[in-house]
Amino acid sequence: MIAQTDRFLGGRLSVFQPVSGYRAGADPVFLAAAVSARPGQSILDLGCGAGVAMLCLLSRVEGLSVTGVENDAASVGLARANLDANGFDARVLEADAFFPTPELASASFDHVMTNPPFFDRRNGSEAWDPHREAGRGETAPLALWLDAALRRVKPGGYITVVHRADRLADCLAPLQGRAGDVVVQPLAARAARPARLVIVQAKKGARGALRLNAPLVLHDGAVHEADGESYSLAAQAILREGAALPLKN
């Protein structure tokens, strides 16, 4: 796979990503920002790709034990290279998230984060590039991703997922009876526009009510008026400075 170098967190992270096919953007950065991990805790990134979410989380919180799982061999190689290049220690397993190896099946984690493929191909066409399709088109139902996350997280631990807002019902359904204290954080491109993405976080075994946060607005202004970035201060803090995105006050 031919790779190029992209910069994240204001240039603090150098990340090898494929020249063609799926490349991570802002989604895994917001995902990592929403994980309320503390030093000494264990983290699983389910479907870690090239490792962007892991890198962002490791750059913000020291002393974590992080594991990434990815079934694409080329992405596994990129994730390992990215960890080495940025000076972080984590393990990346080439494995199927839904049929885990004995090593993974016997493990449990304080936090599980995941950025599953966004598009249900029963309702759309495949991308022309097979590598991009692998990252964007579902080969397994979203419910299986959430089930795998719930199986790997400890009782009282948290799962955090970023997905399209129009798939919110699909994100919530697998949590019924298994996780609670659910927080939904919408991400809206601009004020007064519908959110296109949501971050959903839930605590395994909890029974608390769902909380819907006000949208995080990513760009200033009602429309894009000029070349260059227009990120809001809140978005800049996360995307450029690696700040956390607290989902609860």
mmCIF file of all heavy atoms in Angstrom, residues 188-216:
data_model
loop_
_atom_site.group_PDB
_atom_site.id
_atom_site.type_symbol
_atom_site.label_atom_id
_atom_site.label_comp_id
_atom_site.label_asym_id
_atom_site.label_seq_id
_atom_site.Cartn_x
_atom_site.Cartn_y
_atom_site.Cartn_z
ATOM 1 N N ALA A 188 -22.609 19.329 14.780
ATOM 2 C CA ALA A 188 -23.244 20.064 13.686
ATOM 3 C C ALA A 188 -22.206 20.915 12.971
ATOM 4 O O ALA A 188 -21.370 21.567 13.617
ATOM 5 C CB ALA A 188 -24.365 20.951 14.220
ATOM 6 N N ALA A 189 -22.250 20.923 11.655
ATOM 7 C CA ALA A 189 -21.270 21.692 10.890
ATOM 8 C C ALA A 189 -21.362 23.177 11.221
ATOM 9 O O ALA A 189 -20.338 23.852 11.396
ATOM 10 C CB ALA A 189 -21.471 21.468 9.400
ATOM 11 N N ARG A 190 -22.588 23.693 11.330
ATOM 12 C CA ARG A 190 -22.792 25.112 11.622
ATOM 13 C C ARG A 190 -24.037 25.283 12.481
ATOM 14 O O ARG A 190 -24.896 24.399 12.534
ATOM 15 C CB ARG A 190 -22.919 25.924 10.325
ATOM 16 C CG ARG A 190 -21.659 25.866 9.465
ATOM 17 C CD ARG A 190 -21.726 26.727 8.230
ATOM 18 N NE ARG A 190 -20.545 26.497 7.402
ATOM 19 C CZ ARG A 190 -19.368 27.107 7.576
ATOM 20 N NH1 ARG A 190 -19.232 28.009 8.538
ATOM 21 N NH2 ARG A 190 -18.337 26.830 6.792
ATOM 22 N N ALA A 191 -24.121 26.415 13.145
ATOM 23 C CA ALA A 191 -25.285 26.704 13.974
ATOM 24 C C ALA A 191 -26.541 26.696 13.109
ATOM 25 O O ALA A 191 -26.525 27.125 11.951
ATOM 26 C CB ALA A 191 -25.122 28.063 14.654
ATOM 27 N N ALA A 192 -27.623 26.188 13.678
ATOM 28 C CA ALA A 192 -28.931 26.122 13.016
ATOM 29 C C ALA A 192 -28.979 25.102 11.889
ATOM 30 O O ALA A 192 -29.964 25.037 11.158
ATOM 31 C CB ALA A 192 -29.363 27.493 12.496
ATOM 32 N N ARG A 193 -27.930 24.305 11.735
ATOM 33 C CA ARG A 193 -27.972 23.209 10.767
ATOM 34 C C ARG A 193 -28.153 21.889 11.506
ATOM 35 O O ARG A 193 -27.680 21.728 12.632
ATOM 36 C CB ARG A 193 -26.690 23.156 9.939
ATOM 37 C CG ARG A 193 -26.552 24.282 8.940
ATOM 38 C CD ARG A 193 -25.459 23.963 7.948
ATOM 39 N NE ARG A 193 -25.200 25.058 7.034
ATOM 40 C CZ ARG A 193 -24.284 25.025 6.078
ATOM 41 N NH1 ARG A 193 -23.539 23.932 5.920
ATOM 42 N NH2 ARG A 193 -24.101 26.057 5.285
ATOM 43 N N PRO A 194 -28.817 20.932 10.880
ATOM 44 C CA PRO A 194 -28.974 19.631 11.535
ATOM 45 C C PRO A 194 -27.616 18.961 11.744
ATOM 46 O O PRO A 194 -26.704 19.091 10.919
ATOM 47 C CB PRO A 194 -29.831 18.831 10.541
ATOM 48 C CG PRO A 194 -30.467 19.844 9.658
ATOM 49 C CD PRO A 194 -29.514 20.992 9.577
ATOM 50 N N ALA A 195 -27.495 18.260 12.847
ATOM 51 C CA ALA A 195 -26.277 17.494 13.103
ATOM 52 C C ALA A 195 -26.188 16.339 12.116
ATOM 53 O O ALA A 195 -27.179 15.652 11.861
ATOM 54 C CB ALA A 195 -26.276 16.973 14.529
ATOM 55 N N ARG A 196 -25.012 16.118 11.583
ATOM 56 C CA ARG A 196 -24.804 14.993 10.671
ATOM 57 C C ARG A 196 -24.087 13.830 11.344
ATOM 58 O O ARG A 196 -24.118 12.714 10.849
ATOM 59 C CB ARG A 196 -24.015 15.455 9.443
ATOM 60 C CG ARG A 196 -24.742 16.524 8.635
ATOM 61 C CD ARG A 196 -24.024 16.857 7.352
ATOM 62 N NE ARG A 196 -24.003 15.723 6.436
ATOM 63 C CZ ARG A 196 -23.408 15.731 5.247
ATOM 64 N NH1 ARG A 196 -22.777 16.818 4.837
ATOM 65 N NH2 ARG A 196 -23.425 14.663 4.471
ATOM 66 N N LEU A 197 -23.421 14.118 12.466
ATOM 67 C CA LEU A 197 -22.734 13.075 13.219
ATOM 68 C C LEU A 197 -23.176 13.121 14.672
ATOM 69 O O LEU A 197 -23.601 14.170 15.174
ATOM 70 C CB LEU A 197 -21.215 13.261 13.160
ATOM 71 C CG LEU A 197 -20.512 13.077 11.822
ATOM 72 C CD1 LEU A 197 -19.027 13.369 11.984
ATOM 73 C CD2 LEU A 197 -20.722 11.675 11.273
ATOM 74 N N VAL A 198 -23.065 11.979 15.339
ATOM 75 C CA VAL A 198 -23.298 11.909 16.781
ATOM 76 C C VAL A 198 -22.206 11.058 17.412
ATOM 77 O O VAL A 198 -21.684 10.129 16.798
ATOM 78 C CB VAL A 198 -24.677 11.306 17.136
ATOM 79 C CG1 VAL A 198 -25.799 12.263 16.776
ATOM 80 C CG2 VAL A 198 -24.878 9.948 16.479
ATOM 81 N N ILE A 199 -21.872 11.412 18.630
ATOM 82 C CA ILE A 199 -21.068 10.545 19.489
ATOM 83 C C ILE A 199 -22.011 9.984 20.537
ATOM 84 O O ILE A 199 -22.762 10.732 21.173
ATOM 85 C CB ILE A 199 -19.919 11.315 20.150
ATOM 86 C CG1 ILE A 199 -18.926 11.796 19.084
ATOM 87 C CG2 ILE A 199 -19.206 10.446 21.181
ATOM 88 C CD1 ILE A 199 -17.866 12.729 19.616
ATOM 89 N N VAL A 200 -22.003 8.673 20.689
ATOM 90 C CA VAL A 200 -22.853 7.996 21.667
ATOM 91 C C VAL A 200 -21.944 7.305 22.673
ATOM 92 O O VAL A 200 -21.041 6.559 22.291
ATOM 93 C CB VAL A 200 -23.786 6.969 20.997
ATOM 94 C CG1 VAL A 200 -24.616 6.232 22.047
ATOM 95 C CG2 VAL A 200 -24.693 7.651 19.981
ATOM 96 N N GLN A 201 -22.195 7.571 23.945
ATOM 97 C CA GLN A 201 -21.422 6.925 25.009
ATOM 98 C C GLN A 201 -22.383 6.286 26.000
ATOM 99 O O GLN A 201 -23.416 6.874 26.344
ATOM 100 C CB GLN A 201 -20.535 7.939 25.723
ATOM 101 C CG GLN A 201 -19.555 7.321 26.711
ATOM 102 C CD GLN A 201 -18.595 8.369 27.251
ATOM 103 O OE1 GLN A 201 -18.905 9.058 28.212
ATOM 104 N NE2 GLN A 201 -17.438 8.512 26.607
ATOM 105 N N ALA A 202 -22.059 5.080 26.454
ATOM 106 C CA ALA A 202 -22.928 4.353 27.382
ATOM 107 C C ALA A 202 -22.081 3.588 28.378
ATOM 108 O O ALA A 202 -20.959 3.165 28.080
ATOM 109 C CB ALA A 202 -23.845 3.401 26.622
ATOM 110 N N LYS A 203 -22.654 3.392 29.576
ATOM 111 C CA LYS A 203 -21.978 2.678 30.661
ATOM 112 C C LYS A 203 -22.582 1.288 30.796
ATOM 113 O O LYS A 203 -23.795 1.138 30.993
ATOM 114 C CB LYS A 203 -22.141 3.461 31.969
ATOM 115 C CG LYS A 203 -21.415 2.865 33.156
ATOM 116 C CD LYS A 203 -21.586 3.763 34.376
ATOM 117 C CE LYS A 203 -20.832 3.229 35.579
ATOM 118 N NZ LYS A 203 -21.008 4.120 36.758
ATOM 119 N N LYS A 204 -21.743 0.273 30.704
ATOM 120 C CA LYS A 204 -22.226 -1.105 30.753
ATOM 121 C C LYS A 204 -22.843 -1.415 32.119
ATOM 122 O O LYS A 204 -22.241 -1.168 33.163
ATOM 123 C CB LYS A 204 -21.085 -2.077 30.472
ATOM 124 C CG LYS A 204 -21.522 -3.537 30.399
ATOM 125 C CD LYS A 204 -20.375 -4.432 29.977
ATOM 126 C CE LYS A 204 -20.788 -5.885 29.891
ATOM 127 N NZ LYS A 204 -19.679 -6.758 29.409
ATOM 128 N N GLY A 205 -24.062 -1.949 32.087
ATOM 129 C CA GLY A 205 -24.751 -2.347 33.300
ATOM 130 C C GLY A 205 -25.509 -1.239 33.992
ATOM 131 O O GLY A 205 -26.237 -1.503 34.958
ATOM 132 N N ALA A 206 -25.376 -0.001 33.529
ATOM 133 C CA ALA A 206 -26.082 1.120 34.161
ATOM 134 C C ALA A 206 -27.526 1.166 33.675
ATOM 135 O O ALA A 206 -27.895 0.564 32.668
ATOM 136 C CB ALA A 206 -25.371 2.430 33.861
ATOM 137 N N ARG A 207 -28.347 1.919 34.409
ATOM 138 C CA ARG A 207 -29.771 2.014 34.081
ATOM 139 C C ARG A 207 -30.245 3.465 33.998
ATOM 140 O O ARG A 207 -31.439 3.722 33.929
ATOM 141 C CB ARG A 207 -30.601 1.269 35.138
ATOM 142 C CG ARG A 207 -30.355 -0.247 35.163
ATOM 143 C CD ARG A 207 -30.882 -0.905 33.908
ATOM 144 N NE ARG A 207 -30.711 -2.353 33.927
ATOM 145 C CZ ARG A 207 -29.670 -2.983 33.409
ATOM 146 N NH1 ARG A 207 -28.695 -2.281 32.831
ATOM 147 N NH2 ARG A 207 -29.579 -4.293 33.462
ATOM 148 N N GLY A 208 -29.314 4.407 34.030
ATOM 149 C CA GLY A 208 -29.696 5.812 34.011
ATOM 150 C C GLY A 208 -30.326 6.225 32.694
ATOM 151 O O GLY A 208 -30.171 5.571 31.659
ATOM 152 N N ALA A 209 -31.035 7.355 32.726
ATOM 153 C CA ALA A 209 -31.755 7.852 31.555
ATOM 154 C C ALA A 209 -30.797 8.413 30.506
ATOM 155 O O ALA A 209 -29.662 8.798 30.803
ATOM 156 C CB ALA A 209 -32.742 8.933 31.978
ATOM 157 N N LEU A 210 -31.284 8.469 29.290
ATOM 158 C CA LEU A 210 -30.523 9.041 28.184
ATOM 159 C C LEU A 210 -30.423 10.551 28.333
ATOM 160 O O LEU A 210 -31.377 11.217 28.741
ATOM 161 C CB LEU A 210 -31.182 8.681 26.856
ATOM 162 C CG LEU A 210 -30.495 9.161 25.573
ATOM 163 C CD1 LEU A 210 -30.691 8.138 24.457
ATOM 164 C CD2 LEU A 210 -31.038 10.521 25.111
ATOM 165 N N ARG A 211 -29.278 11.083 27.976
ATOM 166 C CA ARG A 211 -29.051 12.531 27.994
ATOM 167 C C ARG A 211 -28.673 12.981 26.591
ATOM 168 O O ARG A 211 -27.763 12.417 25.972
ATOM 169 C CB ARG A 211 -27.933 12.875 28.975
ATOM 170 C CG ARG A 211 -27.430 14.306 28.860
ATOM 171 C CD ARG A 211 -26.403 14.603 29.920
ATOM 172 N NE ARG A 211 -25.729 15.866 29.682
ATOM 173 C CZ ARG A 211 -24.997 16.494 30.583
ATOM 174 N NH1 ARG A 211 -24.853 15.977 31.794
ATOM 175 N NH2 ARG A 211 -24.400 17.627 30.291
ATOM 176 N N LEU A 212 -29.375 13.991 26.081
ATOM 177 C CA LEU A 212 -29.088 14.566 24.769
ATOM 178 C C LEU A 212 -28.441 15.928 24.969
ATOM 179 O O LEU A 212 -29.083 16.863 25.454
ATOM 180 C CB LEU A 212 -30.370 14.698 23.947
ATOM 181 C CG LEU A 212 -30.233 15.354 22.567
ATOM 182 C CD1 LEU A 212 -29.306 14.547 21.667
ATOM 183 C CD2 LEU A 212 -31.603 15.528 21.920
ATOM 184 N N ASN A 213 -27.174 16.045 24.599
ATOM 185 C CA ASN A 213 -26.451 17.304 24.753
ATOM 186 C C ASN A 213 -26.788 18.279 23.631
ATOM 187 O O ASN A 213 -27.250 17.880 22.551
ATOM 188 C CB ASN A 213 -24.941 17.052 24.747
ATOM 189 C CG ASN A 213 -24.445 16.440 26.040
ATOM 190 O OD1 ASN A 213 -25.167 16.376 27.034
ATOM 191 N ND2 ASN A 213 -23.202 15.983 26.036
ATOM 192 N N ALA A 214 -26.520 19.544 23.886
ATOM 193 C CA ALA A 214 -26.601 20.542 22.822
ATOM 194 C C ALA A 214 -25.527 20.235 21.782
ATOM 195 O O ALA A 214 -24.457 19.709 22.110
ATOM 196 C CB ALA A 214 -26.398 21.936 23.395
ATOM 197 N N PRO A 215 -25.776 20.543 20.519
ATOM 198 C CA PRO A 215 -24.781 20.236 19.484
ATOM 199 C C PRO A 215 -23.465 20.975 19.706
ATOM 200 O O PRO A 215 -23.444 22.123 20.169
ATOM 201 C CB PRO A 215 -25.453 20.709 18.191
ATOM 202 C CG PRO A 215 -26.910 20.741 18.499
ATOM 203 C CD PRO A 215 -27.014 21.102 19.948
ATOM 204 N N LEU A 216 -22.380 20.304 19.381
ATOM 205 C CA LEU A 216 -21.091 20.969 19.257
ATOM 206 C C LEU A 216 -21.017 21.518 17.838
ATOM 207 O O LEU A 216 -21.060 20.753 16.863
ATOM 208 C CB LEU A 216 -19.950 19.986 19.504
ATOM 209 C CG LEU A 216 -18.536 20.527 19.250
ATOM 210 C CD1 LEU A 216 -18.190 21.621 20.251
ATOM 211 C CD2 LEU A 216 -17.502 19.413 19.302
#
